[in-house]
Amino acid sequence: MANILIVDDETAIADLVEVYLKNEGYQVYKYYNGRDALDCVERQALDLAILDVMLPDIDGFTLCQKIRQHHLFPILMLTAKVEDMDKIMGLTLGADDYITKPFNPLELVARVKTQLRRYTRYNQGDAAPKALQEHDFRGLTISKTTHKCTLFGEELALTPLEFSILWYLCERRGTVVSSEELFEAVWGEKFIDANNTVMSHIARLREKMHEPSRRPKFIKTVWGVGYTIE
């Protein structure tokens, strides 16, 4: 049974999400402000967090950033804003997904299940042959067995999605992977035109790898085509 954190100052929405998640058998920890939620994060083992962007004390983006300093479980952002920059900001700060209010509770539950499946799968590894469990080149080591990635000896704190993106690119090193292919392979959903999700996650991944945006050494952009690791 997964432990899920809900943080939303709109009581009706928080209560509604709680009911739907409990109906699926999840243990829910519900809070209406960020500081109480942070206390819960520190004392309770969690599997996923649902954070509203607009909170009375600290905003959801800041809360997401604070959680990411020590925890890798999936984070789903709730936002009343529809501007792309708000969505990109959340993803860049470490969120794994977002959903815009008003939303269908059943869609939210479906996204929660998707994130939990992905998180569980990448933390448990799979039955792939050992030869395909690790890539090691030019100072970058990524292991699917341990779910760890190091760059020049420094361990990178990657989210499950970031790990999955890097692993997919490493598996296809030397070839160009389109944003559409990368999105559908990692997120398991149909790619939509003008989808900035891949771009924002690549930017966050480069930041963690201390990659210069104009001349990256590892993840390179092939303009109009996609991304490649050489």
Side-chain angles (χ1 to χ4, degrees):
M1 177 176 63
N3 295 326
I4 298 179
L5 172 69
I6 301 172
V7 191
D8 198 316
D9 64 332
E10 295 185 63
T11 306
I13 292 179
D15 293 347
L16 178 65
V17 174
E18 179 184 31
V19 168
Y20 273 82
L21 292 177
K22 282 188 172 181
N23 284 342
E24 295 294 326
Y26 298 125
Q27 175 67 49
V28 174
Y29 298 85
K30 179 180 62 177
Y31 298 92
Y32 305 115
N33 64 77
R35 299 201 181 281
D36 289 344
L38 279 176
D39 289 340
C40 175
V41 170
E42 294 309 313
R43 68 174 185 269
Q44 179 63 51
L46 298 171
D47 299 291
L48 182 141
I50 301 172
L51 312 180
D52 185 28
V53 170
M54 303 299 292
L55 294 171
D57 49 358
I58 58 177
D59 64 82
F61 294 138
T62 301
L63 180 56
C64 174
Q65 199 170 22
K66 287 181 178 294
I67 291 174
R68 273 290 171 257
Q69 291 175 0
H70 303 287
H71 304 280
L72 297 177
F73 55 74
I75 297 176
L76 194 156
M77 304 295 296
L78 300 180
T79 175
K81 300 181 180 181
V82 297
E83 291 84 354
D84 283 341
M85 285 309 299
D86 292 298
K87 298 171 182 177
I88 292 172
M89 181 183 294
L91 295 171
T92 302
L93 292 174
D96 297 280
D97 199 0
Y98 62 84
I99 189 166
T100 305
K101 297 179 180 179
F103 56 84
N104 184 329
L106 293 177
E107 179 186 356
L108 177 62
V109 170
R111 293 198 184 196
V112 165
K113 289 181 178 179
T114 297
Q115 292 296 333
L116 287 173
R117 281 198 303 269
R118 184 179 294 121
Y119 181 63
T120 301
R121 183 170 69 247
Y122 286 122
N123 276 282
Q124 291 181 344
D126 54 35
K130 276 193 173 182
L132 300 178
Q133 289 294 312
E134 184 174 299
H135 294 283
D136 187 351
F137 61 97
R138 294 197 293 127
L140 176 67
T141 301
I142 182 168
S143 170
K144 208 168 186 180
T145 303
T146 62
H147 199 261
K148 289 184 178 180
C149 179
T150 60
L151 183 61
F152 304 122
E154 175 189 352
E155 185 172 343
L156 305 180
L158 304 183
T159 67
L161 275 175
E162 291 164 353
F163 182 93
S164 182
I165 290 169
L166 187 56
W167 178 265
Y168 193 86
L169 291 174
C170 285
E171 288 241 281
R172 289 151 185 80
R173 184 156 54 106
T175 64
V176 181
V177 178
S178 68
S179 294
E180 179 178 358
E181 177 186 346
L182 192 56
F183 183 86
E184 294 183 356
V186 173
W187 277 264
E189 301 173 6
K190 186 66 179 175
F191 182 82
I192 302 174
D193 289 341
N195 191 324
N196 293 309
T197 302
V198 172
M199 179 182 67
S200 59
H201 275 81
I202 291 289
R204 177 63 173 167
L205 194 50
R206 282 173 172 163
E207 180 182 336
K208 289 186 176 182
M209 296 173 71
H210 311 297
E211 288 260 77
S213 58
R214 294 185 179 275
R215 292 179 176 273
K217 296 180 180 179
F218 288 94
I219 304 176
K220 298 185 178 181
T221 301
V222 180
W223 295 110
V225 184
Y227 302 95
T228 185
I229 286 185
E230 297 178 347

